[in-house]
């Protein structure tokens, strides 16, 4: 099964569509889409960056967590953690919103300090998903900076691709004209690339941190809610019939036919861009 999302570009709202409008290819060969079902529940790991570069942005990180806690996805289970000078991670996933609310209390006790081991944090977090289920997701709240991980980009990307876990991120950034350190300038680009490859998405928020007011935060919170419920916790599982045996990683392309339907023009189809090989016995069930 392949997890996909069909959302609007700007507001991350779900778009209604007819399943037959979806078209897919694998290495250029047409795919037959046999079944489409909504993701009713998945596991989500929320990782909050508490490194020194997030000092002015931690109030926003707290506001994001508040939105997530107030809109706990029905049927889903959540784990959470923090990474910066030290890494902290819950032992497993919880389905009680009151337990998840503790994340906000714990974040209030965190100090923004140290360098940013973003890739190492992803590596540790992925261990919670073994084995992963289609639709499982990681949500990062980070400025995207990276300057202290032991793992290289290529190793992290391979691990994510193999795991099948989607990567989403809420990325608070300074205004484009402001001067930013190199790790914050190029880090978000890598994070955006990883999210797209795994079937996730990045929600970037440009602002003059740490100042926030209710008038500014209200529409941002509404978009965050959409991003959380319809993106990270939402989407569909797509059953496809492979054109042949899959013995190596293959390029997957899925598009939606927008002809004759104006409300589909402002949409994006989000899905893992690589399909991993699986055993012949498991092919039908897995894909």
């Amino acid at each position: 099964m392949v997890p996909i999302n069909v959302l609007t570009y700007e507001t991350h709202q779900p778009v209604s569509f007819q399943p037959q409008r979806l078209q897919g290819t694998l290495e250029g060969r047409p795919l037959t889409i046999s079944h489409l079902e909504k993701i009713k529940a998945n596991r989500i790991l929320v990782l909050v960056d508490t490194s020194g570069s997030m000092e002015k942005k931690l109030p926003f990180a707290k506001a994001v967590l508040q939105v997530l806690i107030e809109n706990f996805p029905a049927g889903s289970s959540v784990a959470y953690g923090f990474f910066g000078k030290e890494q902290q991670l819950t032992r497993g996933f919880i389905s009680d919103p009151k337990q998840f609310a503790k994340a906000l209390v714990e974040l209030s006790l965190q100090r923004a300090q140290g360098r940013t081991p973003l890739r190492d944090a992803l590596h540790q977090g992925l261990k919670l998903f073994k084995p992963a289920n289609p639709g499982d997701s990681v949500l990062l709240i980070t400025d995207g900076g990276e300057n202290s991980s032991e793992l290289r980009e290529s190793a992290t990307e391979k691990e994510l691709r193999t795991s099948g876990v989607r990567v989403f991120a809420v990325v608070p950034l300074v205004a484009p004209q402001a001067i930013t350190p190199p790790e914050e300038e190029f880090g978000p680009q890598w994070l955006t690339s990883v999210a797209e490859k795994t079937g996730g998405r990045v929600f970037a928020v440009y602002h003059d941190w740490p100042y926030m007011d209710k008038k500014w935060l209200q529409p941002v919170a509404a978009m965050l809610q959409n991003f959380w419920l319809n993106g990270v916790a939402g989407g569909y599982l797509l059953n496809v019939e492979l054109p042949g045996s899959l013995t190596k990683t293959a390029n997957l392309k899925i598009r939606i036919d927008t002809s004759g339907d104006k409300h589909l023009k402002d949409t994006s189809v989000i899905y893992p861009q690589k399909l991993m090989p699986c055993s012949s016995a498991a092919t039908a069930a897995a894909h």
Side-chain angles (χ1 to χ4, degrees), residues 80 82 88 90 99 101-110:
Y80 64 88
F82 311 97
Q88 301 176 29
T90 54
Q99 292 294 318
K102 293 180 180 179
L104 191 59
V105 178
E106 293 178 27
L107 179 57
S108 299
L109 301 175
Q110 297 282 330

Side-chain angles (χ1 to χ4, degrees), residues 49 51 53-54 83-84 87 114-123 140 142-153 156 181-191:
D49 183 351
S51 64
S53 65
M54 286 287 291
F83 63 97
Q87 293 191 46
R115 294 163 69 83
T116 314
L118 192 153
R119 293 193 297 270
D120 287 353
L122 277 171
H123 171 69
L140 292 156
T142 176
D143 56 18
E146 165 60 79
N147 56 17
S148 70
S149 287
E150 295 183 4
L151 281 178
R152 295 183 177 181
E153 291 182 4
T156 303
E183 66 269 17
E184 291 180 40
E185 181 178 355
F186 300 107
Q189 296 177 16
W190 177 80
L191 192 53

Side-chain angles (χ1 to χ4, degrees), residues 3 39 41-47 76-81 89-94 119-140 156 159-168 198 228 232-233:
I39 295 176
N42 65 344
R43 294 178 297 177
I44 307 167
L45 170 60
V46 180
L47 290 174
S76 294
S77 56
V78 177
Y80 64 88
L89 196 63
T90 54
R91 293 184 178 181
F93 293 90
I94 53 180
R119 293 193 297 270
D120 287 353
L122 277 171
H123 171 69
Q124 292 298 325
L126 287 176
K127 295 178 180 180
L128 289 178
F129 291 98
K130 293 182 178 180
N133 300 319
D136 283 346
S137 306
V138 172
L139 173 61
L140 292 156
T156 303
E159 184 177 21
L160 285 166
R161 187 169 63 247
T162 303
S163 73
V165 176
R166 304 180 295 176
V167 175
F168 293 83
T198 61
W228 170 239
V232 184

Side-chain angles (χ1 to χ4, degrees), residues 208-222:
D208 181 19
W209 313 105
Y211 307 106
M212 297 185 297
D213 57 51
K214 291 183 179 180
K215 185 177 181 180
W216 173 83
L217 189 57
Q218 187 172 358
V220 174

Side-chain angles (χ1 to χ4, degrees), residues 48-94:
V48 184
D49 183 351
T50 57
S51 64
S53 65
M54 286 287 291
E55 182 177 9
K56 293 183 179 180
K57 304 159 191 171
L58 278 188
F60 178 69
K62 294 176 183 177
V64 174
L65 264 183
Q66 186 68 50
V67 172
L68 307 189
I69 291 167
E70 292 176 355
N71 298 275
F72 196 93
S76 294
S77 56
V78 177
Y80 64 88
F82 311 97
F83 63 97
K85 185 177 180 179
E86 297 179 351
Q87 293 191 46
Q88 301 176 29
L89 196 63
T90 54
R91 293 184 178 181
F93 293 90
I94 53 180

